[in-house]
Amino acid sequence: TDIWPLPLAQRYEAQDDWVRQYRAPLLHQLDPILLPDRSPGWCITHKFPLHARDDQLVGILCLSRDVVGLARRDSEQHLTLAVDRMTKHCEARQPVAELAALAGLSPERFANLIRRIYGMSPVGFVLRNRIRQACLRLRGSKESLLDVALAAGFYDQAQFSRQFKRVMGMVPSSYRQTRPSEHQGLWRWDGML
């Protein structure tokens, strides 16, 4: 609150609270910012929990990058609500028309903005967030593949396996057996996740 206007500071603090509560990374958040010239802009933010050797949460690492060349307009002020739903609640049904309505935009404008910001359609963005969520579950539990699939928002294990292999280049069971250092692209966003 000493640095940012109150609405921005409250959003950033709420993200920190989410990371502390879930003890999980919060990735690909669309955040309103003030650019160096104090004009409104956008950035993409990733927040990671930092743990001590005893697994105690000791901090949060925040990485942000500006969305260059995309001004923040008053008509797009609710875009963050739709992106939050796509990232924090990706397992839920996500019709583009509902997301657009949440953002207060036409479906075409909403889809164009998501494609401009993330380089993919809203459906592709939700799919990659579901895969990311599934990767975290595969690494951190002994849940059955069906349970992981359903928890991540897939209809069944077969659909999950097909989509997972298409995005990650391997089937979920193979991914689960790899060492954490071998996991492909879990935190990257260069066409994978």
Side-chain angles (χ1 to χ4, degrees):
T1 56
D2 293 338
I3 299 172
W4 300 105
L6 188 59
L8 301 183
Q10 288 173 331
R11 177 168 175 76
Y12 306 154
E13 287 177 5
Q15 291 171 343
D16 293 348
D17 291 343
W18 191 95
V19 171
R20 281 191 287 272
Q21 177 182 350
Y22 292 101
R23 299 176 60 91
L26 183 58
L27 305 176
H28 310 293
Q29 296 299 285
L30 179 62
D31 286 328
I33 59 167
L34 293 177
L35 298 171
D37 66 1
R38 305 301 286 172
S39 65
W42 295 107
C43 74
I44 304 296
T45 302
H46 309 283
K47 293 191 176 187
F48 299 88
L50 300 176
H51 299 252
R53 293 191 194 275
D54 63 0
D55 203 38
Q56 180 181 356
L57 183 67
V58 294
I60 297 173
L61 171 65
C62 177
L63 303 172
S64 294
R65 70 170 172 80
D66 292 349
V67 178
V68 179
L70 184 63
R72 182 165 41 104
R73 297 182 178 97
D74 288 342
S75 63
E76 299 161 355
Q77 66 181 340
H78 298 297
L79 183 60
T80 57
L81 299 174
V83 171
D84 285 353
R85 183 170 163 196
M86 296 164 72
T87 56
K88 294 177 182 175
H89 306 288
C90 61
E91 72 286 348
R93 191 169 168 269
Q94 306 271 349
V96 173
E98 285 182 21
L99 292 166
L102 183 62
L105 301 169
S106 72
E108 295 78 19
R109 178 68 179 148
F110 175 74
N112 287 339
L113 281 171
I114 295 301
R115 188 174 303 282
R116 175 84 183 358
I117 293 166
Y118 293 105
M120 64 188 69
S121 70
V123 172
F125 185 64
V126 170
L127 171 65
R128 277 158 178 77
N129 281 294
R130 287 178 176 174
I131 297 293
R132 179 187 47 79
Q133 183 181 67
C135 287
L136 291 171
R137 294 182 87 93
L138 288 168
R139 282 184 38 216
S141 76
K142 300 287 186 201
E143 291 178 276
S144 71
L145 293 181
L146 176 60
D147 289 342
V148 170
L150 296 176
F154 294 93
Y155 294 110
D156 58 31
Q157 186 175 333
Q159 180 208 27
F160 168 56
S161 293
R162 277 192 310 277
Q163 296 292 345
F164 193 95
K165 184 173 183 180
R166 186 172 68 80
V167 172
M168 295 300 293
M170 66 177 76
V171 295
S173 58
S174 296
Y175 179 88
R176 178 176 262 168
Q177 293 170 3
T178 61
R179 293 190 315 265
S181 62
E182 296 173 346
H183 289 160
Q184 299 178 8
L186 182 57
W187 310 123
R188 292 185 355 218
W189 190 264
D190 58 353
M192 295 291 279
L193 294 177

